[in-house]
Amino acid sequence: MKRESFDILVSGGGVAGLIAATAFGSAGYSVLCVDPNAPVTDANDPDADLRTTAFLQPARALLDTCGLWSSLAPHAAPLQIMRIVDAGGETPEPRVVKDFRASDISDEPFGWNLPNWLLRREILGRIGDLANVEFRPGVSTQSVLTRESEALVSLSDGTRASAKLLIAADGRNSPVRDAVGIDVKTTRYGQKALAFAVTHPIPHENISTEVHRSGGPFTMVPLPDRDGQSCSAIVWMERGAEVKRLQSLNKDAFEDEMNTRSCHLLGPLTLASRRSAWPIISQIAGRMSAERTALIAEAAHVVPPIGAQGLNMSLGDLRVLLELAEGAPDTLGSRPMLDTYHKRRHPDVRLRVTGIDALNRASMVGAPALRDLRAAALNAFYSVAPVRKTLMRTGLGSR
């Protein structure tokens, strides 16, 4: 069997895995990234990922280091205000509206929003410029054997690869995580999320808006204009049966439902893409490392799409790995390096998974008394300026 050697093997070619390959490649390491599926880089492809990702402030420095930000910036919509709307009264109308302004804590926006399919396109373009990085779509990890000096990985194309560091970025059902014997704790909510894009007559003014009623938040995130019209990405979380019903509606009926749920804050919303749905869970790995192996992204943690935490937690994983690798290159993938990685990342990940779980449960409540309590809590947190600013800095991942 053919055997190849690399500094780093990244198992998983989603957005997080591709950024990991780009980051380590830009730092001079030899990298192989594999994924069983070829990334879809066209919004019109039936398999395109129509979700969007908001890169929060700390992500920009990492994307700059990777050589990615210059190509992403022209497509990014800045997020200047995070608006929370409680519409949990008797009728679906705003009764509490609170704005969390980036200008209160920084001269920069909270972050920048981009479509996932476009992210894949631009990251692959950057990988094509890196001679020391190879991406193999259509190739999966078949087996993993680790030893003190290296990880040995058998791939579906018949290759056997060795690496000083194996990065598991292969999703919530990670084969690599299973192979190295790391357990996970999973929480299921009975929820799903609908993702789609809309156009609307009222400009979003770079405000990301979460509307809370019951079932989960209805989130409108700014996108660049489309054909001269204001455009936003929508993530609509509801219980599974309700999502199934919504998916079955024709376009006109669906638009009626989403306009009611949005409280008409941006005027009449017009569906501008197909609708996709995926299940909502929380999940955390018992450890973020094993012999010669680091878990990042959804292999290590999964959270509901609240507060733009998902991929930004993944980039937090990557930043720590890069710092440790560049601080002591001779220890790449060693037990001390990976133990330090686990100790630095796992407490923060555990705290964020717990916090987002609590926020999601609060967003789901349907009983009027509990919805009133949620509105009162929003008022209380917002009214105390130091608390409000601390929450914003914590959400950004600021140290």
Side-chain angles (χ1 to χ4, degrees), residues 74 87 101 114 228 356:
R101 298 177 180 274
L114 292 124
I356 296 167

Side-chain angles (χ1 to χ4, degrees), residues 51-60 77-84 109-114 116 119 207-210 212 217 219-222 233 235 237 278 298 301-316 319 345 348 352-353 355-357 359-360 391-398:
R51 294 173 292 176
T52 62
T53 292
F55 289 100
L56 299 179
Q57 279 183 19
R60 180 170 174 172
L79 309 177
Q80 296 286 0
I81 296 174
M82 300 291 191
R83 177 169 291 164
I84 308 297
F110 282 119
W112 300 266
N113 197 48
L114 292 124
N116 284 4
L119 283 172
I207 300 172
S208 178
T209 304
E210 283 187 8
H212 294 262
T219 305
M220 299 177 280
V221 188
V235 177
M237 292 167 59
W278 78 98
E298 290 200 341
H301 42 74
V302 183
V303 292
I306 295 175
Q309 292 299 299
L311 184 63
N312 288 281
M313 289 168 64
S314 306
L315 298 184
R319 277 194 297 271
R345 283 301 295 153
D348 181 70
R352 290 177 187 275
V353 170
I356 296 167
D357 171 81
L359 289 173
N360 189 42
L391 288 172
M392 287 191 283
R393 291 190 181 100
T394 300
L396 289 178
S398 301

Side-chain angles (χ1 to χ4, degrees), residues 310-330:
L311 184 63
N312 288 281
M313 289 168 64
S314 306
L315 298 184
D317 304 337
L318 181 53
R319 277 194 297 271
V320 172
L321 275 180
L322 275 170
E323 287 174 13
L324 294 172
E326 293 178 335
D330 293 340

Side-chain angles (χ1 to χ4, degrees), residues 5 22 94 182 189 199 209 220 253 261 273 290:
S5 295
T22 306
I182 297 176
Y189 303 99
T199 56
T209 304
M220 299 177 280
R261 187 64 177 81
S273 73

Side-chain angles (χ1 to χ4, degrees), residues 194-214:
L194 280 168
F196 50 93
V198 297
T199 56
H200 41 84
I202 299 175
H204 50 60
E205 297 181 334
N206 297 322
I207 300 172
S208 178
T209 304
E210 283 187 8
V211 183
H212 294 262
R213 183 165 173 78
S214 62

Side-chain angles (χ1 to χ4, degrees), residues 134-182:
E134 183 179 354
F135 175 54
R136 294 183 195 169
V139 176
S140 60
T141 299
Q142 297 290 290
S143 65
V144 176
L145 173 65
T146 63
R147 53 181 62 163
E148 189 67 28
S149 60
E150 62 186 353
L152 299 173
V153 181
S154 296
L155 302 172
S156 61
D157 64 356
T159 301
R160 196 176 190 204
S162 66
K164 296 175 183 176
L165 174 62
L166 170 61
I167 297 178
D170 48 355
R172 59 186 66 184
N173 299 314
S174 169
V176 171
R177 185 187 64 221
D178 291 345
V180 297
I182 297 176

